[in-house]
C-alpha cells in the first residue's frame, strides 16, 4: 500500500486525511500550524518539516490549501513539493484554484518523472469528515486509475473529468451553478 503525504490539515484537509488514515494508508503530514498534525501523529503518522520532505517520504502527495497563492508556494517554492518529489510519485492538488495554475505546474513535475492530478472537492467540512464529497479529477487517466482507491477513501462521488485542469474547470462551473 502506498504512503500518502498530506499537506494542509485545516477544515477540509483534516477530515480527508483522517479518512485516508482510516482506510489503512500510512500517512506523512505537514501543516504550517504544527498543532494540526498532533492528532495524526498520536495515531502513528509521520511528521515532515516541509513540503519537500513530505514529497521525499511519500508515494502520493495530497494538498488541501486555501487558494492559488498557497498552492504555488507549497508546490514550487523553496522547500516545496517539486524539490523533493520522487520519480513515479503522484501529486494530487485538492484545492479550489485556477485551471491555468495546475496547467503551469504539471509540466515541471513531468520533467522530474512525477505526475500531477487536479482534484478539487465539493461537500464542505461536514462532507470531508463523513466521506460525502464529490472529487472532480483532471490529469492522465492511468494515474487517476492508480490513485482512485485513495480518492475513494475520502470521496463518495469520485469522477474523472479529463486532462489536467479539467477538475478545476468542473469545480468552477459547479460553484457558479
Amino acid at each position: 500500500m502506498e504512503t500518502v503525504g498530506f499537506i494542509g490539515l485545516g477544515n477540509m484537509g483534516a477530515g480527508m486525511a483522517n479518512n485516508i488514515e482510516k482506510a489503512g494508508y500510512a500517512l506523512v503530514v505537514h501543516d504550517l500550524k504544527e498543532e494540526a498534525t498532533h492528532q495524526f501523529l498520536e495515531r502513528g503518522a509521520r511528521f515532515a518539516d516541509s513540503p519537500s520532505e513530505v514529497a521525499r517520504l511519500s508515494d502520493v502527495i495530497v494538498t488541501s490549501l486555501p487558494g492559488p497563492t498557497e498552492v504555488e508556494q507549497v508546490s514550487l517554492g523553496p522547500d516545496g513539493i517539486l524539490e523533493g518529489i520522487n520519480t513515479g510519485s503522484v501529486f494530487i492538488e485538492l484545492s479550489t484554484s485556477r485551471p491555468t495554475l495546475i496547467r503551469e505546474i504539471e509540466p515541471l513535475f513531468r520533467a522530474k518523472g512525477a505526475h500531477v492530478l487536479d482534484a478539487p472537492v465539493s461537500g464542505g467540512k461536514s462532507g470531508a469528515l463523513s466521506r460525502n464529497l464529490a472529487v472532480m479529477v483532471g490529469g492522465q487517466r492511468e494515474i487517476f486509475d492508480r490513485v482512485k482507491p485513495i480518492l475513494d477513501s475520502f470521496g463518495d462521488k469520485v469522477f474523472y473529468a479529463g486532462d489536467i485542469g479539467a477538475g478545476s474547470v468542473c469545480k468552477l462551473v459547479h460553484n457558479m451553478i
Side-chain angles (χ1 to χ4, degrees):
M1 196 173 271
E2 297 186 287
T3 297
V4 178
F6 207 104
I7 302 168
L9 299 166
N11 284 336
M12 295 293 292
M16 291 184 285
N18 192 34
N19 284 316
I20 291 169
E21 189 177 54
K22 279 183 190 172
Y25 292 93
L27 270 185
V28 177
V29 293
H30 176 77
D31 194 281
L32 285 177
K33 296 177 183 163
E34 193 177 325
E35 62 273 9
T37 66
H38 293 172
Q39 66 173 312
F40 298 97
L41 301 178
E42 289 168 7
R43 293 191 302 263
R46 185 169 177 182
F47 178 77
D49 283 322
S50 67
S52 65
E53 186 179 5
V54 171
R56 272 193 298 280
L57 299 172
S58 307
D59 305 302
V60 176
I61 302 94
V62 180
T63 56
S64 178
L65 303 166
T69 302
E70 293 82 4
V71 170
E72 191 167 12
Q73 180 65 33
V74 166
S75 59
L76 305 178
D79 236 358
I81 296 166
L82 183 63
E83 192 176 293
I85 200 159
N86 301 304
T87 301
S89 291
V90 180
F91 168 34
I92 305 172
E93 215 304 291
L94 303 177
S95 316
T96 301
S97 187
R98 297 180 278 115
T100 52
L101 177 59
I102 202 72
R103 290 178 183 141
E104 292 163 11
I105 289 171
E106 189 274 337
L108 302 172
F109 281 79
R110 189 174 357 112
K112 286 194 75 174
H115 310 282
V116 176
L117 297 174
D118 63 307
V121 299
S122 179
K125 182 180 177 180
S126 63
L129 288 168
S130 65
R131 215 191 125 254
N132 185 21
L133 290 176
V135 186
M136 300 154 257
V137 188
Q140 290 178 276
R141 180 67 195 229
E142 60 271 18
I143 302 304
F144 166 78
D145 291 340
R146 173 181 151 192
V147 301
K148 189 169 185 300
I150 296 168
L151 301 171
D152 287 336
S153 74
F154 62 83
D156 65 333
K157 295 172 283 300
V158 176
F159 68 92
Y160 180 71
D163 292 336
I164 195 73
S168 297
V169 170
C170 285
K171 174 66 188 268
L172 293 172
V173 171
H174 173 78
N175 285 358
M176 288 170 50
I177 295 170

